Amino acid sequence: MAETDVDLDAEQYEKHREAGEILAQVRAEAAERVEVGASHLDVAEYAENRIRELGGEPAFPVNISIDEEAAHATPSIDDEETFGEEMVNLDIGVHVDGWLADTAITVDLSGHDELAEASEEALDAALDVVEPGVETGEVGAAIEDVIDGYGFNPVVNLTGHGLGHWEQHTAPNIPNRAVSQGTTLEVGDVVAIEPFATDGSGKVNEGADEEIFALEREGSIRNRQARQALEQITEEFRTLPFATRWLDTSRAKMALRRLKANDIVHGYPVLKEDDGALVSQKEHTLIVTPDGCEVTTR
Ligand code: MN
Ligand code: MN
């Protein structure tokens, strides 16, 4: 199909837009609730419930990353943590019938305004260069330039991505640095761009904690709680990520351990920079249009 034949008014794009509109509102409301002493679990559940009230579904658990954490942290069901004078990243997703929007914002309670600004400005610069035919490497170069200019490092082993139907991460990757072998963005592509800036090394590693999981393959399992969990996962979340605390079954942790041991689900370990480093993040979802792009999560 030639580029010009893509119908950007088609139902799937309308659903992406609806998801984006819900998400923009929930991001603002959730960010307002992030303050010293507020509970992580309250903020996550507030956002997830608001998404449902507004007619969407969470596309993945609300990620609340603190200081050196960059991604995949979400509260456990009995989480008692509260915010301190920290750098807080909220990463939130919505889907409408499996059509997604994905956004993130840094709420800085730590007094490091410049680090938060660096990822914000990098995202603006990236959005400015998006148009049909642009190489993803040029988008990455725009991000890297801005973050370098602030004297920080982009996190290079985290990237933006395409958003598929019931799929949070599809091709193309949108790098957070200049790369030579990129792909080209075309009209109708739906992608998330997400610069991370850090005063650490610019590479994240897997930590020990795991509260987010997703279905890996179809399968069957004998244990009753694991079977109940698997039923809920395949019906409700399908291939999208979910949190341990979202499972209705008793003994959710045990059920997930069994499903994981059988390679039916996989986990997302928390991703972290070096100890003592800080990470900021800003993310929007966009549709590539003939003139440039339409940001769905603004
Ligand atoms: Mn995200
Ligand atoms: Mn994303």
Side-chain angles (χ1 to χ4, degrees):
M1 187 160 61
E3 284 182 7
T4 47
D5 292 339
V6 176
D7 177 10
L8 295 179
D9 295 324
E11 199 184 0
Q12 72 182 78
Y13 292 107
E14 290 302 338
K15 288 181 174 175
H16 276 298
R17 290 183 183 101
E18 198 184 329
E21 209 169 302
I22 293 167
L23 188 45
Q25 185 178 339
V26 171
R27 180 189 58 225
E29 292 180 9
E32 266 181 41
R33 283 169 168 74
V34 174
E35 53 188 18
V36 173
S39 138
H40 291 196
L41 185 59
D42 284 352
V43 169
E45 290 191 329
Y46 173 83
E48 290 162 3
N49 289 332
R50 271 305 269 162
I51 289 167
R52 297 184 186 104
E53 276 172 25
L54 294 170
E57 287 292 330
F60 51 82
V62 170
N63 283 211
I64 299 180
S65 303
I66 304 293
D67 288 347
E68 76 274 13
E69 293 174 346
H72 302 166
T74 199
S76 61
I77 196 157
D78 52 1
D79 199 289
E80 289 181 345
E81 276 185 276
T82 57
F83 297 105
E85 290 178 354
E86 299 157 329
M87 181 158 281
V88 180
N89 298 330
L90 294 180
D91 194 330
I92 314 177
V94 169
H95 77 85
V96 172
D97 297 333
W99 303 102
L100 282 79
D102 183 359
T103 194
I105 190 171
T106 295
V107 181
D108 179 43
L109 306 175
S110 74
H112 293 82
D113 304 354
E114 285 209 337
L115 185 57
E117 271 168 40
S119 53
E120 234 171 87
E121 203 179 295
L123 179 58
D124 288 340
L127 294 172
D128 276 349
V129 304
V130 171
E131 60 180 4
V134 74
E135 298 268 335
T136 51
E138 295 172 57
V139 179
I143 290 170
E144 186 174 22
D145 272 355
V146 170
I147 294 174
D148 274 359
Y150 274 87
F152 299 120
N153 291 316
V155 175
V156 299
N157 57 343
L158 293 173
T159 67
H161 50 89
L163 294 165
H165 195 210
W166 293 102
E167 278 188 283
Q168 193 207 349
H169 285 152
T170 62
N173 280 339
I174 317 277
N176 284 323
R177 61 168 165 171
V179 296
S180 50
Q181 66 292 47
T183 54
T184 303
L185 296 182
E186 306 295 349
V187 172
D189 286 352
V190 181
V191 298
I193 302 182
E194 48 184 314
F196 293 80
T198 182
D199 55 3
S201 65
K203 268 201 172 160
V204 290
N205 293 300
E206 293 186 351
D209 295 343
E210 219 170 51
E211 284 291 337
I212 301 179
F213 297 85
L215 189 67
E216 172 79 34
R217 63 170 181 91
E218 290 187 20
S220 61
I221 191 143
R222 201 171 301 179
N223 174 268
R224 192 164 61 89
Q225 283 88 2
R227 205 169 57 235
Q228 281 172 355
L230 184 57
E231 272 170 26
Q232 184 184 3
I233 294 162
T234 47
E235 278 167 31
E236 200 175 322
F237 317 131
R238 302 198 196 187
T239 47
L240 293 173
F242 60 90
T244 311
R245 64 184 156 80
W246 286 3
L247 294 178
D248 297 329
T249 183
S250 60
R251 311 195 63 199
K253 275 188 181 182
M254 180 279 295
L256 284 169
R257 255 198 321 274
R258 286 176 186 265
L259 290 168
K260 212 181 131 179
N262 284 278
D263 296 319
I264 295 173
V265 305
H266 65 271
Y268 294 86
V270 172
L271 299 176
K272 304 167 134 182
E273 257 288 348
D274 311 328
D275 281 348
L278 297 175
V279 179
S280 72
Q281 178 195 15
K282 189 81 196 272
E283 177 176 25
H284 275 307
T285 297
L286 60 93
I287 302 169
V288 181
T289 62
D291 304 329
C293 70
E294 175 189 342
V295 177
T296 64
T297 47
R298 194 101 74 183

